[in-house]
Amino acid sequence: MEYRKLGNTDLELSTITYGAFAIGGTMWGGNEQKDSIDSIHASIDNGVTTLDTAPFYGFGLSEELIGTALKGKDRTKVQLLTKFGLVWDGSNQGKGEHFFDLDENGKSTPIYKLSSKANIIKEVEESLKRLNTDYIDLIQQHWPDATTPIDETMEAMESLIKQGKVRAAAVSNHSVDLLKEASKTFIPASNQVGYSMLNRGIENELVPYTIANNIGIIVYSPMERGLLSGKYFQNEKLKSDDHRNGYFGQFDLEKVKVFLDNIRPIAAEKNASLAQLVLRWTSLQKGITIVLAGARNAAQAVSNAESMNFDLSSEELSFINAELSKI
């Protein structure tokens, strides 16, 4: 495993980081809790020291499972990354920005973005309890909130660092303009954004800006929620309530299939899976600090960690990029 310094902090994070969205179950067709805990243990045992979660993932369940999995573990050997700013339980009392309505199990739940100082303090206290810890290594604003002044959000995060409840603070899903505005009050350690072989938009403006300003980039959905693993093209069926049934529709699936077939020989030469090849390619892209990879069982967790066990030559990277240009 490789470890990388995050932005202007002293945090050393594992390049492959455990992404805990799926283990929350919400939007992912449920959850097997024992498998989830096993996947966390397997990740740590294979060098993945960094775990990224959020209260929204399973409405607290993802954080609770991490807290359970870490009982008896050396807390100083693990970095916990979580978020704030998505409210679902009505405690926002009409405040915040409506994001979307989550329709699941025959129930519709309105989700709001809320990054006020009062809500941040409330959410962090709840996360500390669920994670069974007295500090969070990196707290992140989950999504920008148009109803709260950016300086209020940044000042609240800075105060949490001074209190010792948080080691570092960051943002997620922020544009360059929003990063510039936030940095007038407090320079975020990183920006967590979507990025993959099929979604490279951040390379145009965001990557150059973050490199110039020593801000890390944490990328999520590098596998496009499993599409780039190739399993979708091998008759793997999704549950009816799995959000990916609609999500995959945005891509030209035939071109994606051809691309994966064309790069498969490189994976075979490395004795690696397509998923491992995709993760390794992502980790080697300019400006990327760490890559989130989800796992719902121990085998997937081990596979993710082992994606760092090989390298890619400049010729191999050029070939992959040339094939990508055809999609």
Side-chain angles (χ1 to χ4, degrees), residues 191-240:
N191 188 15
Q192 183 174 146
V193 290
Y195 177 75
S196 75
M197 288 176 160
L198 305 179
N199 174 24
R200 302 176 67 179
I202 66 169
E203 295 176 355
N204 299 325
E205 294 183 17
L206 185 62
V207 167
Y209 177 81
T210 55
I211 290 174
N213 291 277
N214 194 23
I215 296 173
I217 291 184
I218 299 172
V219 298
Y220 65 81
S221 293
M223 299 300 304
E224 286 300 350
R225 310 188 191 189
L227 180 63
L228 291 172
S229 71
K231 294 179 181 179
Y232 179 79
F233 302 106
Q234 298 173 348
N235 297 318
E236 181 167 296
K237 294 184 178 180
L238 302 175
K239 293 183 179 180
S240 61

Side-chain angles (χ1 to χ4, degrees), residues 1-5 12-19 47-50 79 217-219 222 279-285 288-293 304-305 307-308:
M1 183 56 61
E2 294 178 2
Y3 302 89
R4 297 176 181 174
K5 183 176 178 293
E12 292 282 343
L13 309 181
S14 54
T15 301
I16 296 297
T17 286
Y18 183 93
V48 175
T49 62
T50 312
Q79 303 85 47
I217 291 184
I218 299 172
V219 298
L279 289 175
R280 189 59 173 134
W281 176 92
T282 307
S283 75
L284 293 170
Q285 299 311 296
I288 304 305
T289 310
I290 63 174
V291 181
L292 302 187
N304 290 340
S307 66
M308 297 299 293

Side-chain angles (χ1 to χ4, degrees), residues 116-126 156 159-160 165:
S116 66
K117 179 180 179 179
N119 186 62
I120 294 170
I121 293 171
K122 172 182 177 293
E123 287 204 54
V124 167
E125 290 298 331
E126 292 171 346
S159 69
L160 287 168
K165 294 181 179 180

Side-chain angles (χ1 to χ4, degrees), residues 13 30 32 79 117 135 145 148 166 170 174 219 224 229 242 250:
L13 309 181
E32 291 293 337
Q79 303 85 47
K117 179 180 179 179
Y135 70 95
D145 165 27
T148 301
V166 170
H174 275 49
V219 298
E224 286 300 350
S229 71
D242 193 315
Q250 67 182 289

Side-chain angles (χ1 to χ4, degrees), residues 42-222:
S43 294
I44 295 171
D45 291 344
N46 284 273
V48 175
T49 62
T50 312
L51 313 176
D52 178 270
T53 183
F56 173 69
Y57 302 161
F59 298 152
L61 178 59
S62 176
E63 289 185 326
E64 290 174 359
L65 288 172
I66 289 174
T68 298
L70 293 184
K71 286 180 180 178
K73 300 285 186 180
D74 185 345
R75 174 67 180 86
T76 65
K77 302 295 185 182
V78 178
Q79 303 85 47
L80 295 181
L81 285 49
T82 192
K83 308 176 186 75
F84 64 82
L86 289 189
V87 179
W88 66 87
D89 59 5
S91 61
N92 59 325
Q93 298 179 333
K95 299 178 181 179
E97 176 186 0
H98 181 259
F99 192 13
F100 67 98
D101 291 322
L102 176 63
D103 296 313
E104 198 166 62
N105 301 320
K107 179 182 178 182
S108 181
T109 304
I111 309 298
Y112 287 82
K113 302 174 187 176
L114 182 61
S115 293
S116 66
K117 179 180 179 179
N119 186 62
I120 294 170
I121 293 171
K122 172 182 177 293
E123 287 204 54
V124 167
E125 290 298 331
E126 292 171 346
S127 290
L128 287 169
K129 290 178 181 178
R130 287 191 289 254
L131 291 166
N132 193 33
T133 186
D134 56 3
Y135 70 95
I136 293 166
D137 294 278
L138 183 72
I139 193 72
Q140 304 160 92
Q141 181 185 13
H142 206 153
W143 284 88
D145 165 27
T147 69
T148 301
I150 292 178
D151 58 350
E152 178 180 338
T153 303
M154 296 300 111
E155 287 171 0
M157 290 199 290
E158 189 173 23
S159 69
L160 287 168
I161 294 175
K162 292 177 180 178
Q163 293 171 32
K165 294 181 179 180
V166 170
R167 291 180 64 192
V171 296
S172 182
N173 299 300
H174 275 49
S175 65
V176 170
D177 287 343
L178 283 174
L179 275 178
K180 289 179 178 178
E181 186 65 26
S183 296
K184 292 177 182 178
T185 304
F186 174 80
I187 299 176
S190 57
N191 188 15
Q192 183 174 146
V193 290
Y195 177 75
S196 75
M197 288 176 160
L198 305 179
N199 174 24
R200 302 176 67 179
I202 66 169
E203 295 176 355
N204 299 325
E205 294 183 17
L206 185 62
V207 167
Y209 177 81
T210 55
I211 290 174
N213 291 277
N214 194 23
I215 296 173
I217 291 184
I218 299 172
V219 298
Y220 65 81
S221 293

